[in-house]
Amino acid sequence: QQPVQSPQAVILREGEDAVINCSSSKALYSVHWYRQKHGEAPVFLMILLKGGEQKGHEKISASFNEKKQQSSLYLTASQLSYSGTYFCGPRLTGANNLFFGTGTRLTVIP
Amino acid sequence: NAGVTQTPKFQVLKTGQSMTLQCAQDMNHNSMYWYRQDPGMGLRLIYYSASEGTTDKGEVPNGYNVSRLNKREFSLRLESAAPSQTSVYFCASSDGSAGRGNEQFFGPGTRLTVL
């Protein structure tokens, strides 16, 4: 039931853009996105709900395609502070809780 | 406002020993969660408590027990630790169910090693 994230790792230069994808083999009700810096706790970025509602930080954008059972996180004009591991956590239709992906390690270099 | 706090931060156990990981939140949240994080595995849910007085199994509950002591506190107990339980444990809380679109707030984690 664990979603698949791609890419597994990406290196960007400051100012470049990146897209992180999260795919599930099962129908999704909602998708959470979190960022975790090394040795720290995950921090909330965004929630996308069925029907198009979104809650999250204004500087982060994401999409949720219910039909394709996938979500994408868009990071534009990347900054050094964007470095970390990004996790998606979908809630599957019929389940009560989240199943997190294995993460995408993003490194932003000067 | 401390958010979610966890104790201890680090712990080393021998196989067969028992211990309790403590978690407390001061945000008046209803739901609380215990996750474990292993390298390359992401976060996996062990147990959760949707509200005070209720607990339910998550994805990987074997070898663990939990107690929702009150609205603030949610503890995780390892009765007989095994090396396979070496991991980083995170406690989290949310106002309502995370599955219904509520943001989770995570504690700083407990790094547990079982020898």
Side-chain angles (χ1 to χ4, degrees):
Chain A
Q1 301 195 58
Q2 194 169 35
V4 175
Q5 287 187 232
S6 63
Q8 289 186 329
V10 58
I11 299 175
L12 298 177
R13 290 199 178 276
E14 266 186 298
E16 291 182 336
D17 302 338
V19 180
I20 299 172
N21 300 302
C22 175
S23 296
S24 172
S25 59
K26 302 196 176 203
L28 305 179
Y29 177 84
S30 64
V31 180
H32 290 225
W33 285 96
Y34 290 81
R35 177 172 60 213
Q36 184 178 30
K37 294 188 179 283
H38 184 69
E40 298 181 6
V43 173
F44 168 78
L45 294 176
M46 175 162 283
I47 295 170
L48 301 103
L49 296 160
K50 210 170 181 178
E53 185 183 351
Q54 296 187 3
K55 304 182 201 177
H57 297 289
E58 292 176 7
K59 292 187 178 179
I60 301 284
S61 65
S63 65
F64 178 21
N65 188 322
E66 297 165 40
K67 205 169 177 180
K68 291 186 178 179
Q69 297 169 179
Q70 60 185 222
S71 175
S72 296
L73 188 71
Y74 304 97
L75 301 168
T76 56
S78 59
Q79 305 170 17
L80 294 175
S81 61
Y82 287 12
S83 291
T85 301
Y86 289 77
F87 292 98
C88 69
R91 175 194 161 190
L92 307 179
T93 300
N96 289 323
N97 287 293
L98 310 181
F99 288 89
F100 284 91
T102 53
T104 294
R105 179 174 287 185
L106 179 78
T107 304
V108 181
I109 57 176
Chain B
N1 205 352
V4 180
T5 56
Q6 291 182 234
T7 54
K9 287 198 166 109
F10 301 93
Q11 184 71 49
V12 179
L13 292 178
K14 293 183 180 175
T15 298
Q17 287 185 319
S18 62
M19 80 160 295
T20 300
L21 281 64
Q22 307 285 355
C23 173
Q25 52 91 10
D26 62 2
M27 295 173 282
N28 202 35
H29 284 169
N30 289 306
S31 300
M32 297 186 74
Y33 313 82
W34 276 106
Y35 290 93
R36 61 177 288 174
Q37 185 174 37
D38 303 304
M41 293 293 292
L43 294 154
R44 291 185 293 170
L45 183 66
I46 305 170
Y47 271 93
Y48 67 99
S49 171
S51 61
E52 188 179 352
T54 69
T55 60
D56 283 289
K57 293 178 181 178
E59 201 181 342
V60 289
N62 291 345
Y64 304 96
N65 285 303
V66 290
S67 296
R68 183 75 184 266
L69 305 168
N70 47 56
K71 193 170 185 180
R72 288 187 63 246
E73 298 171 288
F74 188 37
S75 63
L76 178 72
R77 183 159 177 83
L78 286 71
E79 290 292 349
S80 179
S84 60
Q85 293 178 306
T86 294
S87 189
V88 180
Y89 291 84
F90 286 101
C91 177
S93 71
S94 60
D95 192 16
S97 166
R100 292 191 181 278
N102 292 281
E103 166 186 357
Q104 290 189 345
F105 293 81
F106 285 84
T110 294
R111 190 173 294 272
L112 176 68
T113 302
V114 183
L115 302 174

